[in-house]
Amino acid sequence: MTCLAPWEEMIYHDREQAEGADGMVRIFGHGVYLLDGCLYGTQEEVLERTGVRTDMETAMGETMAWRILEKHNQGGDGKTLHLKFDSLTSHDITYVGIIQTARASGLESFPVPYVLTNCHNSLCAVGGTINEDDHKFALSACRKYGGIYVPPNYANIHSFNRETMAGCGRMILGSDSHTRYGALGTMGVGEGGGELAKQLLGRTYDMTRPDVVAVYLTGSPRPGVGPHDVALALCGSVYASGVVRNRVMEFVGPGVHALSMEFRNAVDVMTTETTCWSSIWETDEKTRTYLERHGRGGDYQEMRPGRCAYYQDCVALDLSEVESMIAMPMHPSLAVSIHELQDNASSLLKACEERANEQIRGARLDMMSKLHSDGVWAEQGEIAGCAGGTYDNIRAAADILRGKNIALGFSLSVYPGSLPTLSSLIRNGCAQDLIQAGALIRECFCGPCFGAGDCPANGELSLRHTTRNFPSREGSRPMEGQMAAVALMDARSVAATGVNGGRITAATDLDVDWTDSEEDFDLSIYEKRVYHGFGHGDPQASLKFGPNIRDWPEMPELSENLLVRVTSWIPDPVTTTDELIPSGETSSYRSNPLRLAEFTLSRRDPGYVGRCAEVREMEAERQKGHLPGEVGRVCESLARAGFQVRPEDTHIGSAVSARMPGDGSAREQAASCQRVLGGSANFAQAYATKRYRGNCVNWGMIPFEVEALESLALGDWVYIPGVRQWMMDGAGEIQAFRVTPEGRVEKLPLKTSPLTDVEREVLLEGCLINYYRKHRA
């Protein structure tokens, strides 16, 4: 039974405090109890209205998220979790580094099913043969260690896992930030490769028990509104507030059951863009039917919160109020309705242009040129990947385009999420409808999500139903004078825009004969070509190495003292992982740590790599017993301030300073490349995501927090005496000293958020590989 009255009263009561209270998404700003489908603000209100007595701690354990976490927890104090996952998954720009890390740490076999897909580097031609070399390495690893190998262009990583691996009550850990299978009752977590290496070595994923936020859905979407419209409305409302940051989003309420499974899947995968840690949804007969259609009916169980569950906050969304949306360049949270864009085009485009040009270095973005007398125009459309390439989205686009023609000035490409999906679209005629309208049907490839597929021309605007529209994810190279932009839209509105030749159009404005045929999923397509080796590894089998696959270089352990130079200072409010290590053109080099590191911060701070090289030379001289000139002057300044620096036990390293680094992708290279270049630390006011902070730890870089980040500047040196003993004692706060280029010495208080015992040991040993080598010995 679902009761809306208490919910409506609470919304009214909190209207002034709630962020976004007048929009389609409302944030409560406080904890709530969910009892028999109704929301209440306090224990007293629950008792008064229902006569049920409850307490917060008990009710916290009644969330779906906490039940799954408890099932996977290997023990602890109730606050710290030690999780083991049911399966793992990686794609071809992450799995080589992960397996190499685990192999260097003593890997003997894959202890759980590990899915290796080939959906990122399956088309990119950079580097010649090296992409296919990685694929051959993966197949050989699956044969040796017992893995699951999905051939190139058979499926994107998340479509395959939805179709074959996700099941109610499970947990899946992936080395891709969009590892989200919550709509199927599976808590998916996207993390850096180090966390997967831990699981491969039988270790646990350790974290503080996360808060859970209820996402209470009501109503049902109007015709023409798709999952990306809902996802962008949600992301636009919650991202800036941080209400779900590093928390679990738990989707509940009557609106859940108004959505098809593919609609839920496509909303769920976008929860990554809210900065939440994971997600989970109520399941129902639609979930059962989906799993049965994919040959896994036994993986279904009904999932819903206990009778009275407590959430640390609540986000309410009325699906019937959602409009066709567009996320302006260059972030999914910059969302407005398409009608609002049409009504306020000049001001919105100007604001977008100014915001982007403050962020981008090199070429200039010209959004005002997209404004014509009859509307806002774009040159390209993409429907792709784990968000856009679902059967329902592509079928809806075909409904709009059936019998129509796409004008020559606008191109449209469609990337189905998997070969079974493409096969179904071919059999029911949707693929033919798209082709007849002028659309291109592409491979099952993730390229449009990270800048390696259908790159538009300089100055063009691309409309995409993909996961992200970060800078350069459309293929731009601003430092070389090339600049384009991506706006995110639902597949339905992308197709509607195609019908109008490129004039941005809301799908809700068209009269469409919508069809509702179900996907005819053919599992035999996978059975014929996917290698299933779990539990059947051959320890005697050899790994196949291409010339670009290199081992990780040696990383030094944490010295008694640290002397680090700030080699990059980024003042932006948030720094994405794409800025730390670019996507797109770097993908083919991610099996070669030294080669990849040359791209670090290349789009944001091109001088960074050269500055790090200078610091590495200084460290090399120190190891020989010499103090190079600049370091000698720094030591003299410290000596005058009363600190005698001992070169023999003071490592010289580099550091990145940024306000909030790490938003976006889970890929570990955002941190490992800094480490390869000699990085010893990050200085930040806060870290955008748990996964980036975890990547820093796993690669031996201390994630320092600095309250007054402005007290640091590019070129400053930071001396951290007694840092090893401080780490051994439990970390926390430490007194460091800033040395300016002029020789002035100032106090610099540093701290870290709480570190687990294992994290401290990893930092002491210098990186995760060193830590496992020591423990194996």
Side-chain angles (χ1 to χ4, degrees):
M1 175 181 176
T2 299
C3 175
L4 295 182
W7 172 75
E8 291 169 344
E9 291 171 11
M10 187 178 297
I11 291 296
Y12 178 79
H13 181 265
D14 293 333
R15 183 173 296 277
E16 292 184 0
Q17 303 109 293
E19 299 180 44
D22 294 323
M24 64 195 85
V25 181
R26 301 176 176 92
I27 301 172
F28 283 40
H30 59 73
V32 299
Y33 291 85
L34 179 67
L35 175 65
D36 294 335
C38 299
L39 291 170
Y40 303 93
T42 64
Q43 296 176 36
E44 292 74 18
E45 187 180 355
V46 172
L47 181 61
E48 177 185 345
R49 289 179 176 268
T50 68
V52 175
R53 293 186 180 275
T54 186
D55 65 271
M56 184 182 297
E57 189 65 29
T58 300
M60 286 169 63
E62 292 298 302
T63 63
M64 294 181 288
W66 184 240
R67 288 173 171 177
I68 295 174
L69 290 171
E70 275 292 284
K71 174 184 172 184
H72 291 81
N73 189 20
Q74 304 302 300
D77 57 9
K79 293 183 178 180
T80 302
L81 302 176
H82 305 280
L83 303 173
K84 285 196 174 181
F85 290 77
D86 297 294
S87 62
L88 310 175
T89 188
S90 296
H91 50 60
D92 48 349
I93 58 175
T94 58
Y95 58 54
V96 174
I98 292 166
I99 294 171
Q100 287 285 73
T101 299
R103 189 173 71 90
S105 305
L107 175 68
E108 296 180 356
S109 65
F110 295 158
V112 295
Y114 187 16
V115 174
L116 306 183
T117 65
N118 297 280
C119 50
H120 278 58
N121 274 357
S122 53
L123 288 183
C124 185
V126 175
T129 66
I130 60 181
N131 289 340
E132 188 61 15
D133 288 347
D134 287 355
H135 304 157
K136 299 301 182 184
F137 172 88
L139 180 56
S140 70
C142 287
R143 286 173 171 155
K144 182 177 183 67
Y145 299 119
I148 300 170
Y149 175 84
V150 184
N153 301 126
Y154 259 66
N156 70 53
I157 180 173
H158 304 308
S159 292
F160 183 84
N161 279 279
R162 289 173 191 153
E163 293 167 349
T164 68
M165 303 301 292
C168 299
R170 293 181 184 171
M171 293 192 74
I172 296 178
L173 182 66
S175 56
D176 183 271
S177 54
H178 291 97
T179 305
R180 292 286 189 268
Y181 315 117
L184 293 167
T186 296
M187 289 183 68
V189 179
E191 277 286 359
E195 293 299 338
L196 276 80
K198 289 181 184 177
Q199 295 285 309
L200 291 176
L201 296 166
R203 303 295 180 124
T204 57
Y205 176 103
D206 305 327
M207 68 178 296
T208 302
R209 171 175 163 170
D211 290 344
V212 185
V213 176
V215 182
Y216 194 85
L217 302 183
T218 58
S220 60
R222 70 186 76 173
V225 168
H228 229 36
D229 299 317
V230 174
L232 295 179
L234 192 59
C235 186
S237 297
V238 307
Y239 175 81
S241 71
V243 65
V244 299
R245 183 173 296 131
N246 292 327
R247 292 172 155 183
V248 179
M249 298 177 74
E250 185 155 306
F251 287 78
V252 296
V256 169
H257 312 291
L259 304 177
S260 71
M261 285 310 304
E262 289 287 32
F263 199 116
R264 299 179 206 179
N265 284 333
V267 172
D268 183 63
V269 76
M270 287 295 292
T271 60
T272 294
E273 303 312 320
T274 69
T275 70
C276 77
W277 177 71
S278 188
S279 61
I280 194 68
W281 295 55
E282 292 181 339
T283 63
D284 54 19
E285 286 303 308
K286 291 180 181 178
T287 319
R288 184 198 298 274
T289 300
Y290 178 95
L291 291 170
E292 288 175 344
R293 186 179 300 121
H294 291 80
R296 296 185 294 114
D299 292 337
Y300 174 77
Q301 60 178 282
E302 184 183 59
M303 294 180 57
R304 60 180 62 242
R307 188 185 177 198
C308 185
Y310 178 79
Y311 300 89
Q312 278 74 21
D313 212 320
C314 181
V315 177
L317 189 152
D318 185 347
L319 295 165
S320 63
E321 293 184 11
V322 177
E323 299 186 51
S324 296
M325 302 292 290
I326 180 170
M328 304 295 287
M330 297 178 167
H331 199 278
S333 66
L334 302 174
V336 297
S337 72
I338 292 175
H339 289 155
E340 183 179 351
L341 174 63
Q342 293 167 337
D343 293 341
N344 302 286
S346 181
S347 61
L348 287 171
L349 292 173
K350 186 66 175 175
C352 173
E353 184 178 285
E354 291 175 351
R355 182 173 53 244
N357 287 329
E358 288 179 2
Q359 183 178 2
I360 299 299
R361 303 294 184 271
R364 305 286 291 177
L365 179 66
D366 179 11
M367 291 296 292
M368 295 302 293
S369 65
K370 306 306 170 188
L371 178 58
H372 300 178
S373 59
D374 56 349
V376 182
W377 289 70
E379 290 82 16
Q380 185 189 69
E382 306 282 318
I383 301 170
C386 53
T390 67
Y391 173 84
D392 285 6
N393 285 329
I394 299 174
R395 184 198 64 202
D399 289 343
I400 291 173
L401 292 168
R402 189 173 296 114
K404 309 287 197 314
N405 293 317
I406 300 171
L408 187 59
F410 186 83
S411 64
L412 175 62
S413 294
V414 178
Y415 293 75
S418 70
L419 273 185
T421 293
L422 175 58
S423 176
S424 184
L425 292 165
I426 291 171
R427 289 196 300 275
N428 68 15
C430 287
Q432 183 66 17
D433 291 331
L434 292 167
I435 293 170
Q436 287 291 338
L440 294 175
I441 307 294
R442 301 290 201 180
E443 295 89 345
C444 307
F445 176 51
C446 299
C449 291
F450 66 94
D454 280 325
C455 302
N458 179 58
E460 289 191 343
L461 174 63
S462 180
L463 307 176
R464 303 191 176 190
H465 190 155
T466 57
T467 55
R468 286 191 175 129
N469 59 339
F470 290 176
S472 302
R473 282 199 171 231
E474 72 297 312
S476 290
R477 295 189 180 185
M479 301 307 296
E480 298 178 16
Q482 302 171 27
M483 190 71 242
V486 166
L488 299 182
M489 284 170 37
D490 189 82
R492 293 150 188 80
S493 292
V494 173
T497 299
V499 166
N500 283 331
R503 179 162 55 86
I504 295 178
T505 304
T508 52
D509 291 344
L510 300 185
D511 184 15
V512 179
D513 182 16
W514 301 104
T515 61
D516 60 357
S517 63
E518 297 287 351
E519 180 177 8
D520 179 19
F521 184 81
D522 183 0
L523 184 60
S524 69
I525 293 172
Y526 287 152
E527 292 173 341
K528 294 172 183 175
R529 297 289 293 172
V530 173
Y531 176 78
H532 287 275
F534 177 63
H536 306 289
D538 178 4
Q540 303 307 312
S542 299
L543 293 174
K544 186 174 179 60
F545 289 90
N548 187 59
I549 299 176
R550 302 295 177 86
D551 291 334
W552 291 105
E554 291 294 324
M555 311 287 182
E557 67 177 28
L558 184 61
S559 57
E560 297 299 327
N561 314 295
L562 271 180
L563 182 61
V564 298
R565 186 186 189 192
V566 178
T567 48
S568 184
W569 201 104
I570 305 173
D572 302 347
V574 177
T575 304
T576 68
T577 47
D578 276 24
E579 292 170 297
L580 293 167
I581 183 66
S583 57
E585 75 270 23
T586 68
S587 298
S588 296
Y589 298 112
R590 290 185 185 161
S591 302
N592 187 334
L594 294 173
R595 181 71 178 88
L596 178 65
E598 297 173 6
F599 292 91
T600 312
L601 278 168
S602 58
R603 292 178 182 163
R604 185 60 185 81
D605 185 0
Y608 169 76
V609 172
R611 297 183 205 114
C612 289
E614 294 172 358
V615 175
R616 288 204 311 278
E617 291 177 7
M618 297 176 195
E619 168 62 11
E621 288 298 307
R622 181 198 69 83
Q623 292 180 15
K624 296 175 184 177
H626 308 299
L627 284 181
E630 183 176 353
V631 174
R633 290 191 293 273
V634 170
C635 291
E636 289 173 3
S637 297
L638 287 165
R640 287 194 296 270
F643 300 100
Q644 297 300 322
V645 179
R646 289 167 47 88
E648 60 271 25
D649 55 20
T650 303
H651 179 83
I652 299 172
S654 57
V656 168
S657 180
R659 295 190 189 280
M660 187 181 291
D663 185 27
S665 173
R667 58 183 184 270
E668 66 188 275
Q669 293 91 349
S672 66
C673 285
Q674 296 176 48
R675 184 62 165 157
V676 167
L677 293 171
S680 297
N682 272 197
F683 299 119
Q685 287 178 323
Y687 292 85
T689 57
K690 175 190 176 298
R691 54 183 174 267
Y692 175 70
R693 181 180 177 275
N695 285 338
C696 289
V697 170
N698 286 333
W699 286 104
M701 294 194 302
I702 304 175
F704 283 119
E705 296 176 13
V706 185
E707 186 172 338
L709 198 67
E710 292 79 5
S711 61
L712 283 173
L714 181 65
D716 282 352
W717 287 87
V718 178
Y719 177 55
I720 313 169
V723 66
R724 185 176 181 86
Q725 187 62 50
W726 166 75
M727 186 64 66
M728 294 172 64
D729 291 341
E733 298 184 2
I734 187 171
Q735 184 64 63
F737 300 89
R738 170 200 182 201
V739 184
T740 70
E742 299 79 25
R744 190 171 66 255
V745 178
E746 301 173 350
K747 290 183 178 181
L748 182 69
L750 300 175
K751 66 177 182 178
T752 64
S753 296
L755 296 164
T756 67
D757 290 344
V758 171
E759 286 177 327
R760 289 190 295 107
E761 287 189 59
V762 169
L763 288 168
L764 285 165
E765 295 302 326
C767 68
L768 193 65
I769 294 175
N770 294 354
Y771 169 78
Y772 282 132
R773 280 178 180 162
K774 176 181 177 180
H775 283 265
R776 181 179 57 175

